């Protein structure tokens, strides 16, 4: 949880952009669209661009010698691969590319089943694969399908697994109410995690008011869609 020295409304555009992972994740994007939206994230000064693994060569090229890092998703958006498969994927991305962070999807069916040891071990295996490369790991829970108790317990699993962030949503869940980084959900995660692990909100962050509110609450990072980044930054 970030401890702020000033209100979000008093921050510069550069300071605000440091909270953003600009999402460039739509599977139907052409190479030209991927290049356009990654470049926009770099130009805005976002902390990172969040991309699919097949976009890694483009992202590495466009972020080179910039302050914007590469955040790659892993086993996205369902998180239902075997642990061994997740580790192979994560190792491949970290070993071959200049990756700053990796966003792994927790098996949220296991979370809903109360398989807490399996959830922790699954996350820990990916963390162990990434940390030797200096890559931080964010764990996506898909909070729209979880109860408050399940969110709190999942946070504890991520902390025990030595992950670097917990994260709300993929943004690709269907068939459920889409709340994403709603303030009440972020409040639960911040309350549970304290200073033990960082919190990333993702999903439904589309207005400047919502964006600034989450910063003032103490959130560490936000996943913002390529269309919404200029809106939340007031561009």
């Amino acid at each position: 949880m970030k401890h702020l020295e000033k209100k979000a409304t008093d921050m510069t555009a550069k300071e605000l952009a440091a909270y953003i992972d600009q999402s460039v994740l739509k599977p139907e994007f052409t190479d030209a669209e991927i290049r356009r939206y990654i470049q926009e994230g770099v130009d805005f000064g976002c902390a990172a661009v969040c991309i699919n693994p097949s976009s890694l060569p483009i992202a590495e090229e466009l972020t080179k010698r910039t302050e914007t890092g590469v955040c790659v998703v892993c086993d996205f958006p369902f998180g239902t691969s075997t642990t061994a498969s997740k580790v192979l994927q994560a190792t491949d991305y970290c070993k071959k590319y200049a990756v700053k962070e990796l966003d792994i999807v927790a098996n949220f069916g296991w979370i809903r089943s109360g398989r807490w040891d399996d959830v922790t071990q699954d996350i820990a295996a990916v963390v162990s694969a990434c940390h030797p490369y200096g890559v931080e790991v964010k764990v996506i829970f898909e909070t729209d399908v979880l109860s408050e108790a399940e969110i709190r317990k999942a946070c504890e699993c991520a902390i025990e697994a030595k992950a670097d962030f917990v994260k709300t949503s993929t943004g690709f869940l269907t068939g459920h109410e889409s709340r994403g980084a709603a303030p009440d959900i972020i409040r639960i995660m911040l309350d549970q995690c304290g200073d033990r692990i960082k919190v990333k909100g993702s999903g439904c962050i589309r207005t400047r008011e919502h964006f600034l509110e989450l910063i003032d609450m103490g959130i560490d990072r936000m996943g913002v869609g390529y269309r919404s980044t200029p809106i939340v930054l007031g561009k």
Side-chain angles (χ1 to χ4, degrees), residues 187-225:
R187 191 171 292 109
I188 289 167
M189 295 174 78
L190 290 170
D191 174 68
Q192 187 67 33
C193 295
D195 293 327
R196 296 181 296 160
I197 193 170
K198 291 176 278 191
V199 174
K200 176 178 174 180
S202 185
C204 304
I205 303 174
R206 302 188 183 103
T207 68
R208 184 169 170 84
E209 293 73 20
H210 184 189
F211 177 72
L212 298 180
E213 179 183 5
L214 295 184
I215 291 174
D216 286 337
M217 287 173 62
I219 202 168
D220 296 281
R221 193 79 63 81
M222 283 177 270
V224 179

Short mmCIF file of all heavy atoms in Angstrom, two decimals, residues 187-225:
data_model
loop_
_atom_site.label_atom_id
_atom_site.label_comp_id
_atom_site.label_asym_id
_atom_site.label_seq_id
_atom_site.Cartn_x
_atom_site.Cartn_y
_atom_site.Cartn_z
N ARG A 187 -10.64 -1.80 -1.28
CA ARG A 187 -10.55 -1.55 0.17
C ARG A 187 -10.33 -2.87 0.92
O ARG A 187 -9.53 -2.93 1.87
CB ARG A 187 -11.81 -0.86 0.66
CG ARG A 187 -11.72 -0.33 2.08
CD ARG A 187 -12.91 0.55 2.44
NE ARG A 187 -12.91 1.81 1.69
CZ ARG A 187 -13.76 2.11 0.71
NH1 ARG A 187 -14.70 1.24 0.35
NH2 ARG A 187 -13.69 3.27 0.09
N ILE A 188 -11.02 -3.93 0.52
CA ILE A 188 -10.85 -5.24 1.14
C ILE A 188 -9.40 -5.71 0.97
O ILE A 188 -8.76 -6.17 1.92
CB ILE A 188 -11.82 -6.27 0.52
CG1 ILE A 188 -13.26 -5.99 0.95
CG2 ILE A 188 -11.42 -7.70 0.92
CD1 ILE A 188 -14.30 -6.76 0.15
N MET A 189 -8.87 -5.57 -0.24
CA MET A 189 -7.53 -6.06 -0.53
C MET A 189 -6.47 -5.24 0.21
O MET A 189 -5.52 -5.79 0.77
CB MET A 189 -7.29 -6.07 -2.04
CG MET A 189 -8.20 -7.04 -2.77
SD MET A 189 -8.09 -6.96 -4.57
CE MET A 189 -6.59 -7.87 -4.87
N LEU A 190 -6.64 -3.93 0.23
CA LEU A 190 -5.70 -3.08 0.96
C LEU A 190 -5.73 -3.37 2.45
O LEU A 190 -4.69 -3.43 3.11
CB LEU A 190 -6.03 -1.60 0.71
CG LEU A 190 -5.75 -1.06 -0.70
CD1 LEU A 190 -6.34 0.34 -0.85
CD2 LEU A 190 -4.26 -1.03 -1.00
N ASP A 191 -6.93 -3.58 2.96
CA ASP A 191 -7.08 -3.88 4.39
C ASP A 191 -6.42 -5.21 4.74
O ASP A 191 -5.72 -5.33 5.76
CB ASP A 191 -8.57 -3.93 4.75
CG ASP A 191 -8.80 -4.38 6.19
OD1 ASP A 191 -8.44 -3.62 7.10
OD2 ASP A 191 -9.34 -5.48 6.39
N GLN A 192 -6.60 -6.20 3.89
CA GLN A 192 -6.04 -7.53 4.16
C GLN A 192 -4.52 -7.54 4.00
O GLN A 192 -3.81 -8.19 4.78
CB GLN A 192 -6.66 -8.57 3.23
CG GLN A 192 -6.27 -10.00 3.54
CD GLN A 192 -6.83 -10.47 4.87
OE1 GLN A 192 -7.91 -10.06 5.28
NE2 GLN A 192 -6.10 -11.33 5.57
N CYS A 193 -4.04 -6.82 3.02
CA CYS A 193 -2.62 -6.92 2.67
C CYS A 193 -1.73 -5.97 3.45
O CYS A 193 -0.56 -6.28 3.70
CB CYS A 193 -2.44 -6.66 1.17
SG CYS A 193 -3.23 -7.91 0.13
N GLY A 194 -2.25 -4.80 3.80
CA GLY A 194 -1.42 -3.83 4.49
C GLY A 194 -0.17 -3.51 3.70
O GLY A 194 -0.23 -3.24 2.50
N ASP A 195 0.99 -3.59 4.36
CA ASP A 195 2.27 -3.33 3.70
C ASP A 195 2.99 -4.62 3.32
O ASP A 195 4.18 -4.59 2.99
CB ASP A 195 3.16 -2.49 4.62
CG ASP A 195 2.63 -1.09 4.83
OD1 ASP A 195 2.01 -0.54 3.89
OD2 ASP A 195 2.82 -0.54 5.94
N ARG A 196 2.29 -5.74 3.34
CA ARG A 196 2.95 -7.03 3.09
C ARG A 196 3.09 -7.36 1.61
O ARG A 196 3.94 -8.16 1.22
CB ARG A 196 2.18 -8.15 3.80
CG ARG A 196 2.18 -8.01 5.32
CD ARG A 196 1.43 -9.15 5.97
NE ARG A 196 0.01 -9.15 5.62
CZ ARG A 196 -0.79 -10.21 5.71
NH1 ARG A 196 -0.31 -11.36 6.14
NH2 ARG A 196 -2.07 -10.11 5.40
N ILE A 197 2.25 -6.79 0.77
CA ILE A 197 2.28 -7.04 -0.67
C ILE A 197 1.57 -5.88 -1.34
O ILE A 197 0.71 -5.22 -0.73
CB ILE A 197 1.58 -8.40 -1.00
CG1 ILE A 197 1.85 -8.85 -2.44
CG2 ILE A 197 0.08 -8.33 -0.72
CD1 ILE A 197 1.37 -10.29 -2.72
N LYS A 198 1.94 -5.59 -2.58
CA LYS A 198 1.33 -4.47 -3.29
C LYS A 198 0.00 -4.89 -3.93
O LYS A 198 -0.25 -6.08 -4.14
CB LYS A 198 2.30 -3.94 -4.35
CG LYS A 198 3.52 -3.24 -3.73
CD LYS A 198 4.52 -2.79 -4.77
CE LYS A 198 5.43 -3.91 -5.19
NZ LYS A 198 6.59 -3.45 -6.02
N VAL A 199 -0.83 -3.90 -4.21
CA VAL A 199 -2.17 -4.15 -4.75
C VAL A 199 -2.33 -3.46 -6.10
O VAL A 199 -2.06 -2.27 -6.24
CB VAL A 199 -3.26 -3.65 -3.78
CG1 VAL A 199 -4.65 -3.78 -4.42
CG2 VAL A 199 -3.21 -4.41 -2.46
N LYS A 200 -2.76 -4.23 -7.09
CA LYS A 200 -3.07 -3.70 -8.42
C LYS A 200 -4.56 -3.87 -8.70
O LYS A 200 -5.09 -4.98 -8.56
CB LYS A 200 -2.25 -4.39 -9.51
CG LYS A 200 -2.61 -3.94 -10.94
CD LYS A 200 -1.75 -4.62 -11.99
CE LYS A 200 -2.23 -4.29 -13.40
NZ LYS A 200 -1.41 -4.94 -14.46
N GLY A 201 -5.20 -2.79 -9.07
CA GLY A 201 -6.60 -2.85 -9.48
C GLY A 201 -6.70 -2.89 -10.98
O GLY A 201 -5.96 -2.19 -11.68
N SER A 202 -7.59 -3.70 -11.50
CA SER A 202 -7.77 -3.80 -12.95
C SER A 202 -9.23 -4.12 -13.24
O SER A 202 -9.86 -4.89 -12.52
CB SER A 202 -6.86 -4.89 -13.52
OG SER A 202 -6.93 -4.93 -14.92
N GLY A 203 -9.74 -3.53 -14.31
CA GLY A 203 -11.12 -3.75 -14.69
C GLY A 203 -12.01 -2.59 -14.30
O GLY A 203 -12.05 -2.20 -13.12
N CYS A 204 -12.67 -2.00 -15.28
CA CYS A 204 -13.68 -0.96 -15.06
C CYS A 204 -13.10 0.37 -14.55
O CYS A 204 -13.82 1.16 -13.94
CB CYS A 204 -14.78 -1.44 -14.11
SG CYS A 204 -15.62 -2.94 -14.65
N ILE A 205 -11.82 0.61 -14.76
CA ILE A 205 -11.24 1.91 -14.40
C ILE A 205 -11.30 2.78 -15.65
O ILE A 205 -10.40 2.74 -16.50
CB ILE A 205 -9.79 1.77 -13.89
CG1 ILE A 205 -9.74 0.81 -12.70
CG2 ILE A 205 -9.22 3.14 -13.50
CD1 ILE A 205 -8.34 0.48 -12.22
N ARG A 206 -12.38 3.55 -15.76
CA ARG A 206 -12.63 4.28 -17.00
C ARG A 206 -12.81 5.77 -16.81
O ARG A 206 -12.88 6.51 -17.78
CB ARG A 206 -13.87 3.69 -17.68
CG ARG A 206 -13.74 2.20 -18.00
CD ARG A 206 -14.88 1.70 -18.85
NE ARG A 206 -14.75 0.27 -19.07
CZ ARG A 206 -15.46 -0.67 -18.44
NH1 ARG A 206 -16.37 -0.30 -17.54
NH2 ARG A 206 -15.28 -1.95 -18.70
N THR A 207 -12.91 6.21 -15.55
CA THR A 207 -13.10 7.65 -15.31
C THR A 207 -11.94 8.19 -14.48
O THR A 207 -11.32 7.47 -13.69
CB THR A 207 -14.41 7.93 -14.56
OG1 THR A 207 -14.31 7.42 -13.21
CG2 THR A 207 -15.60 7.30 -15.27
N ARG A 208 -11.67 9.47 -14.65
CA ARG A 208 -10.61 10.11 -13.88
C ARG A 208 -10.94 10.10 -12.39
O ARG A 208 -10.05 9.89 -11.55
CB ARG A 208 -10.42 11.54 -14.38
CG ARG A 208 -9.27 12.29 -13.70
CD ARG A 208 -8.97 13.60 -14.43
NE ARG A 208 -8.04 14.44 -13.70
CZ ARG A 208 -6.71 14.34 -13.74
NH1 ARG A 208 -6.16 13.40 -14.49
NH2 ARG A 208 -5.94 15.16 -13.05
N GLU A 209 -12.22 10.27 -12.05
CA GLU A 209 -12.63 10.30 -10.66
C GLU A 209 -12.32 8.98 -9.96
O GLU A 209 -11.80 8.95 -8.83
CB GLU A 209 -14.12 10.62 -10.55
CG GLU A 209 -14.51 12.02 -10.98
CD GLU A 209 -14.47 12.24 -12.49
OE1 GLU A 209 -14.52 11.24 -13.24
OE2 GLU A 209 -14.37 13.41 -12.91
N HIS A 210 -12.64 7.88 -10.61
CA HIS A 210 -12.38 6.54 -10.06
C HIS A 210 -10.88 6.33 -9.91
O HIS A 210 -10.39 5.85 -8.86
CB HIS A 210 -12.99 5.49 -11.00
CG HIS A 210 -12.88 4.08 -10.52
ND1 HIS A 210 -13.21 3.01 -11.32
CD2 HIS A 210 -12.49 3.55 -9.33
CE1 HIS A 210 -13.03 1.89 -10.63
NE2 HIS A 210 -12.59 2.19 -9.44
N PHE A 211 -10.13 6.69 -10.92
CA PHE A 211 -8.68 6.55 -10.93
C PHE A 211 -8.04 7.31 -9.77
O PHE A 211 -7.24 6.76 -9.00
CB PHE A 211 -8.16 7.06 -12.27
CG PHE A 211 -6.67 7.07 -12.44
CD1 PHE A 211 -5.97 5.89 -12.59
CD2 PHE A 211 -5.97 8.27 -12.49
CE1 PHE A 211 -4.58 5.89 -12.78
CE2 PHE A 211 -4.60 8.29 -12.68
CZ PHE A 211 -3.90 7.10 -12.82
N LEU A 212 -8.44 8.56 -9.59
CA LEU A 212 -7.87 9.38 -8.52
C LEU A 212 -8.29 8.87 -7.14
O LEU A 212 -7.50 8.90 -6.19
CB LEU A 212 -8.29 10.84 -8.69
CG LEU A 212 -7.82 11.54 -9.97
CD1 LEU A 212 -8.32 12.99 -9.99
CD2 LEU A 212 -6.31 11.50 -10.12
N GLU A 213 -9.52 8.39 -7.04
CA GLU A 213 -10.01 7.85 -5.76
C GLU A 213 -9.16 6.66 -5.32
O GLU A 213 -8.78 6.56 -4.14
CB GLU A 213 -11.47 7.42 -5.89
CG GLU A 213 -12.04 6.82 -4.61
CD GLU A 213 -13.46 6.31 -4.76
OE1 GLU A 213 -14.01 6.34 -5.88
OE2 GLU A 213 -14.03 5.87 -3.74
N LEU A 214 -8.84 5.76 -6.25
CA LEU A 214 -8.06 4.59 -5.89
C LEU A 214 -6.64 4.97 -5.47
O LEU A 214 -6.06 4.35 -4.56
CB LEU A 214 -8.02 3.59 -7.05
CG LEU A 214 -9.36 2.95 -7.44
CD1 LEU A 214 -9.17 1.93 -8.54
CD2 LEU A 214 -10.06 2.32 -6.24
N ILE A 215 -6.07 5.98 -6.11
CA ILE A 215 -4.75 6.45 -5.70
C ILE A 215 -4.79 6.96 -4.27
O ILE A 215 -3.93 6.62 -3.44
CB ILE A 215 -4.23 7.55 -6.66
CG1 ILE A 215 -3.92 6.95 -8.03
CG2 ILE A 215 -2.99 8.23 -6.08
CD1 ILE A 215 -3.54 7.97 -9.08
N ASP A 216 -5.79 7.76 -3.96
CA ASP A 216 -5.90 8.32 -2.60
C ASP A 216 -6.16 7.23 -1.56
O ASP A 216 -5.82 7.40 -0.38
CB ASP A 216 -7.00 9.37 -2.55
CG ASP A 216 -6.60 10.68 -3.22
OD1 ASP A 216 -5.38 10.93 -3.33
OD2 ASP A 216 -7.49 11.44 -3.64
N MET A 217 -6.73 6.11 -1.98
CA MET A 217 -6.94 4.99 -1.06
C MET A 217 -5.63 4.28 -0.73
O MET A 217 -5.55 3.58 0.28
CB MET A 217 -7.93 3.99 -1.68
CG MET A 217 -9.37 4.47 -1.69
SD MET A 217 -10.47 3.34 -2.61
CE MET A 217 -10.31 1.85 -1.63
N GLY A 218 -4.63 4.42 -1.60
CA GLY A 218 -3.34 3.80 -1.34
C GLY A 218 -2.98 2.67 -2.28
O GLY A 218 -2.02 1.92 -2.02
N ILE A 219 -3.69 2.55 -3.40
CA ILE A 219 -3.39 1.50 -4.36
C ILE A 219 -1.99 1.70 -4.95
O ILE A 219 -1.47 2.82 -5.00
CB ILE A 219 -4.46 1.49 -5.48
CG1 ILE A 219 -4.52 0.12 -6.17
CG2 ILE A 219 -4.22 2.61 -6.50
CD1 ILE A 219 -5.73 -0.05 -7.07
N ASP A 220 -1.36 0.62 -5.36
CA ASP A 220 0.01 0.69 -5.88
C ASP A 220 0.08 0.78 -7.41
O ASP A 220 0.99 1.41 -7.95
CB ASP A 220 0.79 -0.55 -5.44
CG ASP A 220 0.95 -0.59 -3.93
OD1 ASP A 220 1.83 0.11 -3.41
OD2 ASP A 220 0.17 -1.32 -3.27
N ARG A 221 -0.86 0.14 -8.09
CA ARG A 221 -0.82 0.12 -9.56
C ARG A 221 -2.22 -0.13 -10.07
O ARG A 221 -3.06 -0.71 -9.39
CB ARG A 221 0.11 -0.98 -10.05
CG ARG A 221 0.49 -0.91 -11.53
CD ARG A 221 1.56 0.10 -11.82
NE ARG A 221 2.81 -0.25 -11.15
CZ ARG A 221 3.70 -1.16 -11.61
NH1 ARG A 221 3.46 -1.82 -12.73
NH2 ARG A 221 4.81 -1.40 -10.94
N MET A 222 -2.46 0.28 -11.33
CA MET A 222 -3.75 0.02 -11.96
C MET A 222 -3.58 -0.41 -13.40
O MET A 222 -2.76 0.17 -14.13
CB MET A 222 -4.64 1.27 -11.90
CG MET A 222 -5.25 1.52 -10.55
SD MET A 222 -6.21 3.05 -10.48
CE MET A 222 -4.93 4.21 -9.98
N GLY A 223 -4.33 -1.40 -13.81
CA GLY A 223 -4.40 -1.79 -15.20
C GLY A 223 -5.49 -0.96 -15.87
O GLY A 223 -6.65 -1.01 -15.46
N VAL A 224 -5.10 -0.19 -16.87
CA VAL A 224 -6.04 0.71 -17.53
C VAL A 224 -6.03 0.41 -19.03
O VAL A 224 -4.97 0.29 -19.63
CB VAL A 224 -5.65 2.19 -17.29
CG1 VAL A 224 -6.62 3.12 -18.00
CG2 VAL A 224 -5.63 2.49 -15.79
N GLY A 225 -7.21 0.27 -19.61
CA GLY A 225 -7.31 -0.01 -21.03
C GLY A 225 -6.79 1.13 -21.88
O GLY A 225 -6.83 2.30 -21.48
#
